[in-house]
Amino acid sequence: MNFLAHLYLSEQNTNIMIGNFIADGIPGNKFDMYQEEIQQGIRLHREIDTFTDTHAIVRKSKRRLHERYKHYKGVIIDIFYDYYLAKNWMLFSEIPLDAYVKSVYALLQANFDILPKKTQELLPYMIRYDWLYNYQYKEGIRQVLNGMNRRTKGISQMDLAIEDLESLEDEFEQDFMLFFKDLCIFSSEKLKQIAQTKTS
């Protein structure tokens, strides 16, 4: 899953949110310097990624994509699923998306000094272009895909994936709705297990 989903699955625990958000910027198990709940968020992020990568519905979504994306298919589906989460946000949260996103940006800015360098470099762009809020719009997704394609120097061809989204929007949305239900259950249970493991 992508940024918005990882944040949402942190269940409004601010330290879990920080850990879940920064996990991709931390190599291996080098996160002992963080407080316990942030470490739990990092572990949760990795559990979510493993669950997502191996889920049958996600694999089905990947098969819907054009073959040209090769091993970048998983990244594309992560972005697509954040689009559907943002688009259908009020089905999942009583907090309006704009208010939720502003609170996330404020939280990350308030904890900027403890973020890994990779995340510190990313955050100003995320806020400037309001990525999390704009995930609900196809134009926002187009910009994200274009940016990812530039980072891969055109090798991924991810800029073309907006065509896949537009041609199979309903099918991808059905996949997301079915998968996200499973993911929410998994994530909630896994978070409890992680917390119990650390305190026992």
Side-chain angles (χ1 to χ4, degrees):
M1 299 303 290
N2 210 39
F3 294 118
L4 186 61
H6 277 292
L7 289 162
Y8 173 81
L9 293 167
S10 300
E11 299 184 353
Q12 292 294 306
N13 181 312
T14 54
N15 287 323
I16 298 291
M17 290 171 76
I18 292 170
N20 213 335
F21 183 78
I22 67 175
D24 283 336
I26 297 175
N29 295 318
K30 298 179 179 179
F31 48 83
D32 289 343
M33 74 291 294
Y34 293 106
Q35 65 160 279
E36 186 173 307
E37 284 188 335
I38 293 178
Q39 292 185 41
Q40 291 172 12
I42 294 168
R43 291 188 176 90
L44 177 63
H45 179 109
R46 294 173 179 178
E47 293 283 357
I48 289 169
D49 281 355
T50 299
F51 181 81
T52 299
D53 291 342
T54 57
H55 199 284
I57 294 174
V58 176
R59 289 178 173 175
K60 183 178 180 181
S61 287
K62 291 179 185 177
R63 289 195 296 271
R64 297 187 192 279
L65 291 171
H66 195 283
E67 286 301 318
R68 62 190 166 211
Y69 308 118
K70 299 179 182 177
H71 65 278
Y72 293 100
K73 285 184 174 184
V75 180
I76 293 170
I77 294 303
D78 283 349
I79 294 168
F80 282 9
Y81 281 9
D82 256 16
Y83 163 67
Y84 291 112
L85 175 57
K87 177 184 171 185
N88 296 288
W89 182 257
M90 295 311 292
L91 295 178
F92 303 102
S93 176
E94 295 180 357
I95 304 171
L97 182 59
D98 59 342
Y100 181 82
V101 165
K102 287 175 183 176
S103 70
V104 167
Y105 293 154
L107 171 67
L108 296 173
Q109 286 177 311
N111 291 275
F112 188 82
D113 290 343
I114 69 169
L115 304 180
K117 183 178 180 181
K118 180 179 177 181
T119 310
Q120 288 180 339
E121 292 172 350
L122 173 104
L123 186 60
Y125 293 97
M126 172 176 281
I127 295 173
R128 179 179 178 183
Y129 296 106
D130 206 0
W131 290 356
L132 299 179
Y133 184 76
N134 286 321
Y135 279 148
Q136 66 185 303
Y137 305 117
K138 285 182 186 174
E139 185 55 35
I141 297 303
R142 186 192 304 275
Q143 291 176 8
V144 171
L145 292 169
N146 286 345
M148 295 297 293
N149 187 58
R150 286 193 298 272
R151 290 189 195 99
T152 65
K153 299 181 180 179
I155 294 172
S156 67
Q157 300 187 72
M158 287 174 66
D159 58 315
L160 302 178
I162 195 67
E163 299 172 6
D164 300 72
L165 179 63
E166 290 174 337
S167 64
L168 292 170
E169 184 166 4
D170 291 343
E171 289 85 347
F172 283 124
E173 186 162 19
Q174 290 170 9
D175 291 350
F176 166 77
M177 289 298 188
L178 290 171
F179 167 69
F180 201 64
K181 180 180 179 181
D182 286 353
L183 180 60
C184 287
I185 295 170
F186 168 83
S187 181
S188 181
E189 290 302 314
K190 186 58 65 173
L191 185 54
K192 292 175 185 175
Q193 291 175 17
I194 290 171
Q196 289 171 357
T197 299
K198 289 299 289 181
T199 56
S200 60

